[in-house]
Amino acid sequence: MFRRLASLPSGRVAKWIVVAVWLVVLIPAGALAGKLSDVQQNDNSAWLPSSSESTEVVDRAAAFQTGDTLPAIVIYDRPEGVTPADMDKAKADAQAFKGITNVVGEPQGPVMSQDGKAIQTVVQVFKDKSGWDGLGKVVDSMTDIGTADADGLGFHVTGAAGYASDSIKGFSSGGSLTMITGLVVIVILLFTYRSPFLPLVPLITVGGALVAAEAVIYLLAKNAGLTVNNQTSFILTVLVFGAATDYALLLTSRYREELLRHEDRHDAMAEALHRSGPAIIASAATVAISLMLLMLASLNSTKGMGPASAIGIVVGLLAMITLFPALMVIFGRWVFWPVKPAYGSTVAAKVSVWTRIGNRISGRPRLVWISTALVLGVMALGALGLKADGLSNSDQFTNKPQMAVGEELRAAHFPSGSGDPIYVVAHAGAAEQVRTALADVPGIVDVSPPVVKGDEAMVVAQLADDPTSKSSLRTVEQARDVVHKIPSADAQIGGSSAVLLDTQAAAARDSKVIIPIVLVVVLLILGLLLRAIVAPLLLMATVVLSFGAAIGVSSLVFNHVFGFAGAESSFPLLTFVFLVALGIDYNIFLVTRVREDTVRHGTRRAALTGLTATGGVITSAGLVLAGTFAAMASLPLVFAAELGFAVAFGVLLDTLIVRSVLVTALTLDVGRWMWWPSKLFHRHDTEPETATAVEPGLERVG
């Protein structure tokens, strides 16, 4: 049945039907994909579950008209000292700010700093359904007013609204990310295929897959409550480009091999799909299922990223096993120009680099895998220095945007916590008790009188430090402990600091819950695929060790090379899921080939022939995936740079060292026990444990 299904996309008539169906799908999908930004929710509070304390405060504070507002803190500065004219301008600007759509209430200030070199005005901005995009427009309007007729007076907008504005501008580089990712793929494919035309076919297919995936995600976000943000969008781009191109590489390699054996290219593609399809489908299914497990997260941003990324993988897979083979057989053999695979021709066998590596490993496999594992273990020790406990707003960027400059000026001239307080909502009868208790909390410098409306009261407290700093988060924790103990107060604390604290707590919980589940599920998938117990356990151990080494090296690079202040709380979980899923991907490509050859040659011989046969194509696939994730560094965001580096380095480590050296050495050492308790376990090795040449058709890849 699978053979018949595999032959459909390459059928003489069916190939045109497949292309026509994709065209019919992509025409409306293009319009829907363009609307994906309309349903994105980029503010932190929207990422939290409704049960988190800071989210509940937003609902309870609605009566006080502060729950859905964020502070835009305006800083004016003149190093030689502000003038009376500067103060007049700040006052006039404050009145002008009130005329901007979504600016609510009366501005606080302007207030001159004690050193006389800066002025601060705090403006509350209502966050409507447009989210960060709307906040960015407000900040842009404020900037136009503040910089007009400034006469050398510095102007910066910081605070939560300023951070949102600069963040949305950083994420808006997604268009350039797509272009850079495409260029990376083109360069690697040109080097891999050595053909000017062949790379165009997978690129066309990947582009169609990305558009279709974005359309599906838009419909789910609009109609099914899927949480989508800008992080999801740029990860989706690199994931679809990387993974789908990998599938194209594997299929093209087998197709080229079959063209030497089949005169009819339709038959060659059908055989290629039949032979390579199961491994590709199994790999994509493993990645998609692993990503779907992110739905168990409590953090909405992580929960939404799971199914969105899985959709990208599944759509990319469908495109590569339907549209891509149809296009390849339509274009014919000439697409391989200048070296077209001719039917009946033979390719002189040659000893490849992977053959030499395999033969070197076969001499002392146990020494090789033990020493390799020890080196990876030492690399993993660097993970002890990973600071994945969140970043302050000003540390979120790889450059220094307006918000970060304004934050430095505010810290230099004003109390760090001014303008972005915490909000405490409690029963009206306990309002004074709440106020008194808050005033005694270290790190809180001022507490306002309670504002009472009906049965509810609100108390506003100013923090001594930067609201997104670790010290302020500790202050919020202490404040919560204090107010929660007040009898019958039902007091809850919200605000920017509380949102960040709840986000970190949710991310930590998600890592503890999801990582073990991913390990168990992937292990079960491997067991079903390989019909064995030993091989899946060993493969999982190598992938986890590879992940640890990647995190360890990444931590050292972040701290001592890039100079980043730390990492987001969700960084370990996302890196783990991507590296484990994608690392297993390459192991599946290798081990399924080894298992196939074991039937004919025995396990030890198959370990060498499998490495020789798949070494080039898997290395090329790893380079493509690593290159696409490395392209994330083009975004001026620390989260993107860190995730991109860690995944890119981890993929290269897994491709070049773990898969080629560690797994091969383990297979050679363990031998037929890899397949215990399946029937292959009883297949004894009878052939020489050396490989001499690369199989025909594979030497052109990698």
Side-chain angles (χ1 to χ4, degrees), residues 96-97 165 177 245 273 344 418 452 465 496 616 700:
F97 294 154
S165 175
L177 173 64
T245 305
L273 274 171
S418 61
V452 178
D465 300 316
S496 300
R700 294 295 300 166

Side-chain angles (χ1 to χ4, degrees), residues 308-605:
S309 299
I311 288 168
I313 292 293
V314 172
V315 174
L317 170 68
L318 290 175
M320 285 304 168
I321 62 175
T322 57
L323 179 60
F324 178 70
L327 291 175
M328 288 291 284
V329 294
I330 287 173
F331 292 140
R333 295 175 188 261
W334 72 266
V335 78
F336 289 92
W337 184 88
V339 183
K340 294 185 290 184
Y343 167 64
S345 64
T346 58
V347 180
K350 65 179 182 179
V351 177
S352 71
V353 63
W354 301 107
T355 304
R356 292 192 292 270
I357 290 174
N359 289 336
R360 292 289 295 272
I361 295 172
S362 65
R364 289 186 165 184
R366 184 167 301 174
L367 177 63
V368 170
W369 76 256
I370 291 176
S371 58
T372 303
L374 286 174
V375 170
L376 292 173
V378 171
M379 294 167 65
L381 293 177
L384 298 175
L386 182 65
K387 296 176 288 188
D389 51 359
L391 295 167
S392 67
N393 285 347
S394 57
D395 290 329
Q396 298 273 0
F397 304 92
T398 57
N399 56 7
K400 188 173 284 189
Q402 171 184 237
M403 172 265 161
V405 176
E407 194 63 35
E408 289 182 355
L409 292 170
R410 184 165 74 105
H413 300 291
F414 296 94
S416 297
S418 61
D420 194 357
I422 58 173
Y423 301 94
V424 186
V425 180
H427 290 323
E432 285 298 335
Q433 287 179 273
V434 169
R435 182 190 181 191
T436 302
L438 284 174
D440 293 332
V441 175
I444 292 180
V445 295
D446 183 60
V447 183
S448 69
V451 176
V452 178
K453 288 193 175 181
D455 295 332
E456 296 279 77
M458 172 174 283
V459 178
V460 179
Q462 297 291 340
L463 298 167
D465 300 316
D466 177 357
T468 60
S469 66
K470 293 179 176 61
S471 58
S472 287
L473 298 188
R474 286 194 295 269
T475 299
V476 173
E477 285 183 312
Q478 295 173 6
R480 281 180 168 174
D481 289 340
V482 168
V483 300
H484 289 171
K485 293 177 181 178
I486 299 175
S488 304
D490 191 21
Q492 293 179 303
I493 295 180
S496 300
S497 302
V499 167
L500 183 56
L501 181 63
D502 289 342
T503 300
Q504 292 182 5
R509 173 265 176 200
D510 293 343
S511 295
K512 293 177 182 178
V513 171
I514 295 176
I515 287 178
I517 296 176
V518 170
L519 288 174
V520 171
V521 170
V522 173
L523 183 63
L524 291 174
I525 293 173
L526 284 175
L528 292 173
L529 178 66
L530 300 176
R531 296 186 287 279
I533 295 176
V534 176
L537 288 172
L538 291 178
L539 292 178
M540 283 302 302
T542 64
V543 170
V544 171
L545 186 59
S546 176
F547 163 74
I551 286 291
V553 172
S554 297
S555 175
L556 295 174
V557 171
F558 298 163
N559 295 336
H560 304 293
V561 179
F562 296 159
F564 294 148
E568 290 289 359
S569 305
S570 58
F571 169 78
L573 173 60
L574 295 180
T575 306
F576 174 84
V577 171
F578 285 129
L579 283 182
V580 167
L582 298 171
I584 285 295
D585 226 21
Y586 298 125
N587 277 325
I588 287 175
F589 295 150
L590 171 64
V591 177
T592 51
R593 183 61 181 252
V594 172
R595 193 179 191 282
E596 179 182 335
D597 289 350
T598 296
V599 177
R600 299 191 300 270
H601 306 303
T603 303
R604 289 187 171 90
R605 171 69 174 173

Side-chain angles (χ1 to χ4, degrees), residues 20 73 100 113 132 139 163 172 186 192 205-206 227 299-300 338 348 382 478 500 513 604 611 630 651 671 678 689:
I73 303 175
I100 300 174
S113 63
W132 279 6
V139 172
Y163 166 72
S172 66
I186 289 174
T192 301
T205 310
V206 169
T227 300
L299 205 59
N300 289 335
Q478 295 173 6
L500 183 56
V513 171
R604 289 187 171 90
L611 175 63
V651 166
S678 71
E689 296 179 18

